[in-house]
Amino acid sequence: MPVLRAALVLALLPAGAAGQQVEDLVNIRFASDARVFAVMAAINAAGFDLDAGGAAPESPRAAARAWAAGLDDEVAGRLRTFYLDRGRGEDDLRQQARYLSLALHMGPPPGFQPPAAESGLPEEARGLRGFENLLKDLWLQRGLARLWEETRPAYDREAAAYRPLIRGMIVDTLAYFRTEARVAFDRKVNFLPDLLNAFGVVNARNTGDEYYLVVGPSAGPGRPLRSVRHEYLHFLIDPLVVKYTAYLPEERPFLQSAGAKARVQPHVRADFHLLLGESLIRAAEIRLERWPGSQAQAQLVRAYEEGLVLAPYFFEALGRFERAEGSITGVFLALVEGISWEREKRRDGEMEALAAELTALQKREAEAESAGARRLAETREKLERANALLLARSFSEAEALLEEVLKDDPRNANALFGLAQAAGQAQNLERALQLYADAAAQAGEQQWLRAWSLVRRGNIFLVEGDSGRAAQEYEKALALKGDLRGAAEAARRALEEMRKDPPRQGELMQETAARMQLEPSW
């Protein structure tokens, strides 16, 4: 999911500018923000259409697009001209980031007043002055204020939906870093939904002592929590990188190494502080995910190839941190002082060897998966043929196929059920009882097979004259849930017959034996 970040040192926003507060959670404020809404609605009307086609009909974005379609041509033209003239050839993703920065520096509606001086805006938002006049007209004269009141509940619901997710993420992250809340919460985090943006976009802005996470809508039922966590890790780690700048190693060899990587991100190539912080954060993310060894190694290789050349070092260092004591704030100096170019310059060869090893492992796993699929197809084909033979009463041939299946898979419930049927038809009732019991035990999620195995055991006990044990098997079948493919009805009828006319027990036994027809085993 796309994430756009900017580290900005700014004056605090005006009181009340963040809009309606939903809830305070320690130092996390969940809020809806009329400024973000207004700016995003305006650029949707001006031409921002990233992911617009995927918006659900009842979503705020669909409502905003419908509102924009109703604007008169003169107003719509002014918006489009402003957006295109100041686009500087940038794509929609970069454009929305610029306008979001502008939104966070404006006053509240209806004035949307930006800082008096151009220098009061972050660099990316400079050149957008004058947009506030368009916003004021839209808000007061074109129904934007009414649209905000109509869509605000959806923003509040989105903030509320994130509340437990972010609470859990913060608790887990602080626990991993063994950091107390009072230490981590020297700054305030503001969470703002942005439901008029593209799917999964997470924007982060640092405004001095305030940190903003502005999160776009989700394409599905899930939320982009990993992207949110990534930005929260920046909230924790970036101040430490700044604090210990004087202790960082000589940056030139690391930047040169990162720049030589085929998939290096441009911002990492030029900024050692960012390279170091992103490397540590990526290593922490891999640790927090607790992936199996090969998956974690694959993520490390990918990070390294993207220019995060210190990710392997920090991954190893965090492993030692997990086994030691103290918080991340207490050991951070030791972490950065432990970085050695003499050691790290050998990483290229190590990571190339690891990448080759992972490629070979993936090939072996793919071959094993292919072989497993072939075996599964062969088993399915044998079971199909065995079922056809059972129904044709060719029992010996069916048994031979089913035994082949059990040779490869001794716990195959379908094969055990088929063999039990063959044994029952051959009047080998003790063997049939055991095979049905084994099939029931191995049925797994195939509740219908378990149920029919129990019914068949009940039928055999009834034929043998043991009505008590027969009733027990029928009752077990009736206790099962789900689609039992008629087994529950069969068990219920058998119990009703047993209880209705005990003197007819002998006749019932004969009728039951006659009803022991063959059933497909899968």
Side-chain angles (χ1 to χ4, degrees):
M1 295 179 181
V3 177
L4 297 174
R5 305 191 66 257
L8 312 173
V9 181
L10 309 166
L12 291 178
L13 296 175
Q20 178 191 17
Q21 181 173 319
V22 178
E23 176 184 289
D24 288 329
L25 173 61
V26 192
N27 81 322
I28 308 296
R29 183 170 63 147
F30 295 87
S32 54
D33 193 313
R35 301 163 308 154
V36 170
F37 163 82
V39 166
M40 293 306 298
I43 69 169
N44 268 268
F48 174 73
D49 61 358
L50 188 62
D51 290 343
E58 69 282 2
S59 67
R61 192 169 191 195
R65 304 284 291 189
W67 163 81
L71 294 174
D72 64 56
D73 292 344
E74 189 271 332
V75 172
R78 282 193 286 132
L79 285 168
R80 284 193 295 270
T81 298
F82 191 100
Y83 187 76
L84 293 174
D85 285 353
R86 291 158 178 78
R88 300 181 298 190
E90 294 181 339
D91 61 23
D92 276 341
L93 198 59
R94 289 301 308 168
Q95 283 281 73
Q96 63 83 29
R98 297 177 63 211
Y99 282 88
L100 176 72
S101 287
L102 176 68
L104 293 177
H105 290 78
M106 286 178 164
F112 298 103
Q113 192 63 39
E118 184 83 358
S119 59
L121 288 172
E123 184 175 352
E124 64 180 345
R126 294 172 188 174
L128 299 182
R129 294 182 67 85
F131 198 63
E132 68 275 9
N133 297 323
L134 296 173
L135 286 179
K136 184 175 181 179
D137 178 54
L138 293 174
W139 191 267
L140 293 175
Q141 306 296 331
R142 314 293 174 177
L144 190 55
R146 183 173 61 254
L147 181 64
W148 171 234
E149 292 305 316
E150 292 171 356
T151 57
R152 178 189 280 185
Y155 283 75
D156 293 347
R157 287 193 297 271
E158 184 74 357
Y162 265 102
R163 190 180 304 126
L165 301 177
I166 292 181
R167 181 193 293 271
M169 178 271 291
I170 290 174
V171 168
D172 291 345
T173 304
L174 293 179
Y176 177 78
F177 283 124
R178 298 193 289 272
T179 299
E180 296 181 18
R182 63 179 180 83
V183 175
F185 292 162
D186 288 340
R187 293 174 294 156
K188 184 181 290 293
V189 177
N190 299 278
F191 175 89
L192 307 177
D194 181 11
L195 300 182
L196 305 188
N197 212 324
F199 294 129
V201 172
V202 178
N203 285 279
R205 296 295 184 273
N206 178 16
T207 63
D209 291 333
E210 298 273 331
Y211 199 79
Y212 283 86
L213 286 173
V214 188
V215 182
S218 301
R223 300 291 196 286
L225 199 60
R226 285 179 176 170
S227 296
V228 174
R229 182 183 63 189
H230 183 89
E231 296 306 323
Y232 184 71
L233 286 168
H234 273 288
F235 170 76
L236 295 177
I237 298 301
D238 288 355
L240 295 174
V241 176
V242 172
K243 179 178 180 180
Y244 292 103
T245 294
Y247 299 91
L248 301 184
E250 165 60 33
E251 63 184 45
R252 182 168 46 196
F254 297 98
L255 289 175
Q256 290 175 344
S257 176
K261 303 297 178 284
R263 300 168 61 188
V264 63
Q265 302 298 311
H267 56 285
V268 170
R269 187 199 305 266
D271 188 332
F272 182 63
H273 284 73
L274 187 57
L275 184 156
L276 186 144
E278 289 282 3
S279 293
L280 174 53
I281 287 169
R282 184 73 65 87
E285 288 172 328
I286 297 171
R287 287 281 180 183
L288 285 164
E289 290 293 338
R290 292 176 173 82
W291 278 307
S294 61
Q295 286 183 255
Q297 291 173 333
Q299 291 294 323
L300 271 182
V301 168
R302 180 176 178 179
Y304 194 80
E305 291 174 348
E306 291 174 354
L308 302 183
V309 294
L310 285 172
Y313 165 77
F314 282 121
F315 183 81
E316 296 169 356
L318 287 175
R320 295 189 294 272
F321 167 75
E322 292 168 8
R323 298 187 294 272
E325 297 180 354
S327 70
I328 191 67
T329 55
V331 305
F332 194 83
L333 177 59
L335 281 181
V336 297
E337 287 187 327
I339 300 171
S340 164
W341 172 246
E342 288 303 311
R343 168 67 185 89
E344 296 307 313
K345 68 182 181 181
R346 298 192 294 272
R347 291 284 184 189
D348 274 347
E350 294 174 4
M351 299 308 286
E352 287 176 9
L354 180 57
E357 181 182 332
L358 290 170
T359 299
L361 175 61
Q362 291 171 353
K363 182 179 179 181
R364 291 194 299 271
E365 289 176 344
E367 291 172 350
E369 184 177 348
S370 177
R374 286 196 302 273
R375 285 194 299 271
L376 186 62
E378 291 170 0
T379 296
R380 180 186 179 91
E381 190 269 338
K382 287 177 182 178
L383 287 171
E384 288 177 345
R385 287 165 52 201
N387 278 325
L389 289 168
L390 284 171
L391 294 172
R393 309 189 73 78
S394 299
F395 299 120
S396 59
E397 295 176 59
E399 285 183 280
L401 280 173
L402 294 169
E403 291 289 359
E404 286 182 23
V405 172
L406 288 178
K407 183 177 180 181
D408 291 332
D409 181 7
R411 297 183 178 183
N412 190 292
N414 304 88
L416 291 166
F417 186 81
L419 283 174
Q421 292 187 94
Q425 293 295 319
Q427 296 302 305
N428 188 347
L429 300 185
E430 288 304 312
R431 174 172 165 76
L433 282 170
Q434 184 58 57
L435 286 166
Y436 279 130
D438 293 341
Q442 302 300 332
E445 296 181 358
Q446 298 183 95
Q447 286 286 70
W448 69 270
L449 194 147
R450 179 176 289 108
W452 272 113
S453 296
L454 294 169
V455 169
R456 290 308 182 85
R457 279 174 58 83
N459 291 346
I460 292 173
F461 284 130
L462 195 57
V463 168
E464 291 180 336
D466 193 340
S467 58
R469 296 184 71 181
Q472 290 177 359
E473 299 298 308
Y474 295 142
E475 294 287 357
K476 290 177 186 176
L478 285 173
L480 298 177
K481 305 297 182 183
D483 180 10
L484 305 184
R485 302 188 187 180
E489 290 78 3
R492 190 175 294 108
R493 285 197 306 271
L495 285 170
E496 289 173 355
E497 288 295 326
M498 290 172 63
R499 293 163 181 165
K500 183 171 63 177
D501 192 2
R504 294 182 61 248
Q505 191 70 31
E507 295 176 25
L508 179 59
M509 289 161 51
Q510 293 177 358
E511 291 171 7
T512 300
R515 286 201 306 267
M516 289 177 65
Q517 300 300 316
L518 296 164
E519 296 284 343
S521 64
W522 61 284

